[in-house]
Amino acid sequence: MPTLIDFRRRIRSVKNTQKITRAMKLVSAAKLRRAQERVFSARPYAGQMLEVLRSLARRAEVRRHPLLAVRPEEKVLLLLLSGDKGLCGPFNTNVIRLAERFLEARRNGFEPQLITIGKKGRDFFRRRRQALAAEHINLFVRAVEYRQAKEIASQVIDLYTRQETDAVYLIYNEFKSILAQRLITEKLLPIEGILPTRVEGGAAVPGKEAYERPPTQPAAPVGEAPTGEVDYIYEQPPAELFDRLLPRHVEVQVYRALLESAAAEQAARMTAMDAATGNAEEMIERLTLEMNKARQAQITRELIEIVSGAAAL
Amino acid sequence: MLPTALELQIVTPERLLVREEVHELQVPGRDGYMGILPGHAPLLSELQMGELSYRKGNHWSYLTVFWGFVEVLPHRVIVLAETGERGEEIDVERAQAARQRAEERLKRIGDPEVDLARAQVALQRALIRLQVAAKAGGPGALAPGRLPEEPTHVP
């Protein structure tokens, strides 16, 4: 039978934990707001980029560009976006598990290559003794910058144009709403029809209606009246323009995925920490109840002792 | 009938800079500055770094843009800049400091540690920023006496 002092100690310890989880929740809520803003403000660029690319592809002879070249998919490269830190519910586990399944399915005589972003993914695959083509960590410590996406994209483009890989896939958590992240498997290269194809990688985590934000649209091009198929005036050969635009497009895709993942991570952490705070609350209530029972039992016992002591006299 | 206004959108990967109806604009195209009026023939060009200005009614606004693309259609213009900022947002002190740093580096020509091309680009950037800030006349803009010299645009 634990004594009163034991209960008090446990309650205090749970309260301290609760303080931490509550603080973490608040911090990630603030970070989430910023991350969310960045996701939204990056959308116009991605949308307009597509618009311009499509517009150009419609008008100009799209010559065979190395980034559009489709080869039989033998050597596959996977870009995995995980987080740097834990304590965010199933965020990392889910995405890593999906990546693992993906790699398993693609083992076809050629070992699939892997580039990890975030410490969690790297650590997991290192323990598995999986060779990593490259790793990027600490991207999410501060706000993701475009230059980081550029670096990753150029690495991937380089591997692709040197024909060391035949297809590049992205796996990441998409920020769907505060309570739901969606796992996305997306083909990055070869660029298909100037639109990445999307494969739904996992069911969305159902969230409470009340918290649900309006569904996020995949960077849709702004509705436009048909512009007429007149040719452009070019300041330089269209092929050269295409050469510049396509890598930029890949950068933007990577950048967008990074932002999505960053926002999804904060959302997952916020939800996880909210649940943890709730659990702590529940535990405190239960312990308090038991402590009161124990105290009453003790008082009763003392009373009986006094009464029976008096009766014996 | 030709349109009388242009729908201008300037975006960077980080954010939407401008979304406005304008009547005239100037962009730093690859081969020099281009003036664009409503009804312009479709055009697609790369941008270099420079000053982008647009007129709405009688009011001119100034921005910096550093690389990217511009697509012109008769009724709208999309600018995809790699980075850019509105004139009012420019941190003049920072640009001054960057300019000094770059100039000092350029004085040490021949020093193997100095990346000449990079220093030149840095100087250019700083000068463009200062020029745009001065024109935008935002808080902290240069006093008229301290106007920086016209930057020469990279060939």
Side-chain angles (χ1 to χ4, degrees):
Chain A
M1 179 76 190
T3 59
L4 280 181
I5 213 97
D6 294 331
F7 277 119
R8 285 217 185 90
R9 267 194 208 126
R10 283 215 54 194
I11 290 172
R12 202 181 317 139
S13 122
V14 175
K15 267 190 183 151
N16 283 337
T17 312
Q18 193 190 25
K19 265 182 213 153
I20 295 169
T21 57
R22 185 174 289 141
M24 283 185 75
K25 180 188 139 191
L26 292 177
V27 168
S28 44
K31 282 189 180 166
L32 171 65
R33 204 170 321 120
R34 276 201 300 274
Q36 219 174 328
E37 254 164 43
R38 296 175 71 88
V39 171
F40 291 138
S41 49
R43 274 180 191 159
Y45 189 86
Q48 298 300 356
M49 182 67 146
L50 263 180
E51 181 83 347
V52 170
L53 267 174
R54 285 213 198 100
S55 194
L56 177 64
R58 223 172 26 229
R59 288 188 174 83
E61 180 79 19
V62 177
R63 62 174 198 124
R64 300 210 54 77
H65 189 277
L67 293 183
L68 298 166
V70 181
R71 298 190 283 266
E73 283 187 25
E74 284 177 341
K75 290 169 285 182
V76 178
L77 173 69
L78 174 65
L79 211 57
L80 166 67
L81 270 66
S82 67
D84 282 321
K85 290 178 188 160
L87 288 179
C88 45
F91 174 83
N92 288 312
T93 341
N94 283 348
V95 83
I96 288 170
R97 201 180 301 139
L98 182 62
E100 213 185 357
R101 279 210 304 271
F102 179 90
L103 293 175
E104 200 53 57
R106 294 299 176 124
R107 220 156 256 154
N108 51 357
F110 293 95
E111 188 69 17
Q113 288 171 284
L114 179 65
I115 293 181
T116 58
I117 293 156
K119 275 185 194 151
K120 288 288 166 182
R122 179 197 69 177
D123 293 349
F124 179 86
F125 284 103
R126 260 200 191 160
R127 276 197 300 275
R128 294 296 179 93
R129 310 221 169 277
Q130 163 93 33
L132 300 180
E135 51 175 67
H136 299 266
I137 55 164
N138 290 338
L139 256 74
F140 302 111
V141 174
R142 274 190 234 147
V144 181
E145 281 173 46
Y146 187 70
R147 146 183 87 67
Q148 298 169 312
K150 208 169 164 176
E151 198 181 303
I152 295 166
S154 71
Q155 212 167 44
V156 170
I157 289 171
D158 188 44
L159 283 171
Y160 191 77
T161 42
R162 289 210 320 251
Q163 311 218 345
E164 281 178 30
T165 175
D166 302 315
V168 182
Y169 286 88
L170 261 174
I171 287 188
Y172 64 98
N173 276 289
E174 187 192 51
F175 173 76
K176 190 162 169 280
S177 74
I178 294 184
L179 287 173
Q181 293 85 48
R182 200 156 48 142
L183 290 172
I184 299 287
T185 312
E186 201 171 85
K187 194 185 234 176
L188 190 63
L189 286 172
I191 301 171
E192 283 177 341
I194 312 181
L195 245 187
T197 49
R198 284 190 155 200
V199 195
E200 196 86 1
V205 185
K208 276 180 214 155
E209 290 288 312
Y211 279 86
E212 198 93 48
R213 289 287 168 106
T216 57
Q217 264 120 31
V222 183
E224 277 289 329
T227 43
E229 307 301 301
V230 263
D231 200 4
Y232 287 121
I233 302 170
Y234 297 104
E235 290 268 288
Q236 65 218 84
E240 199 184 306
L241 266 174
F242 228 63
D243 279 354
R244 304 289 193 114
L245 275 163
L246 286 179
R248 186 64 52 82
H249 175 70
V250 177
E251 287 168 11
V252 170
Q253 294 304 315
V254 174
Y255 183 62
R256 196 182 46 87
L258 284 173
L259 290 183
E260 291 277 358
S261 181
E265 181 183 346
Q266 294 308 337
R269 180 164 299 123
M270 197 181 101
T271 322
M273 287 303 116
D274 186 45
T277 310
N279 289 346
E281 191 64 56
E282 226 170 76
M283 200 178 231
I284 290 169
E285 266 168 34
R286 213 196 59 226
L287 285 172
T288 315
L289 190 70
E290 271 175 41
M291 183 182 75
N292 287 342
K293 272 190 200 157
R295 197 188 62 221
Q296 280 215 310
Q298 197 186 336
I299 292 168
T300 316
R301 201 171 52 241
E302 277 168 11
L303 271 176
I304 292 171
E305 273 165 20
I306 292 167
V307 169
S308 52
L313 279 178
Chain B
M1 208 189 83
L2 284 176
T4 54
L6 283 162
E7 184 200 328
L8 172 67
Q9 276 200 48
I10 304 175
V11 286
T12 72
E14 258 117 41
R15 67 210 168 106
L16 178 76
L17 274 181
V18 172
R19 182 177 198 153
E20 244 183 303
E21 288 262 292
V22 306
H23 298 101
E24 180 182 350
L25 79 150
Q26 282 197 6
V27 295
R30 197 182 75 141
D31 302 323
Y33 277 80
M34 295 185 287
I36 295 160
L37 290 167
H40 196 285
L43 175 140
L44 188 60
S45 167
E46 233 182 299
L47 296 176
Q48 50 156 311
M49 45 189 188
E51 167 193 319
L52 188 152
S53 49
Y54 64 86
R55 180 175 65 83
K56 187 182 170 120
N58 286 320
H59 183 254
W60 281 91
S61 305
Y62 301 89
L63 293 96
T64 59
V65 288
F66 299 102
W67 304 288
F69 307 91
V70 60
E71 189 200 26
V72 180
L73 291 175
H75 62 284
R76 72 159 165 80
V77 175
I78 298 178
V79 177
L80 299 164
E82 192 158 315
T83 56
E85 68 225 308
R86 273 191 283 268
E88 312 86 70
E89 301 167 351
I90 294 171
D91 184 340
V92 176
E93 267 167 38
R94 225 182 106 190
Q96 287 281 20
R99 176 190 173 183
Q100 266 176 13
R101 259 201 321 276
E103 278 172 346
E104 266 156 39
R105 253 183 237 146
L106 285 175
K107 278 183 199 143
R108 288 159 46 200
I109 289 181
D111 190 332
E113 268 179 43
V114 174
D115 185 340
L116 198 64
R118 251 183 84 177
Q120 269 170 344
V121 170
L123 179 61
Q124 206 84 46
R125 280 177 90 119
L127 287 176
I128 292 168
R129 285 219 168 91
L130 290 172
Q131 180 192 323
V132 171
K135 283 192 181 171
L142 288 177
R146 285 166 60 214
L147 271 183
E149 52 274 17
E150 261 318 271
T152 43
H153 293 289
V154 254

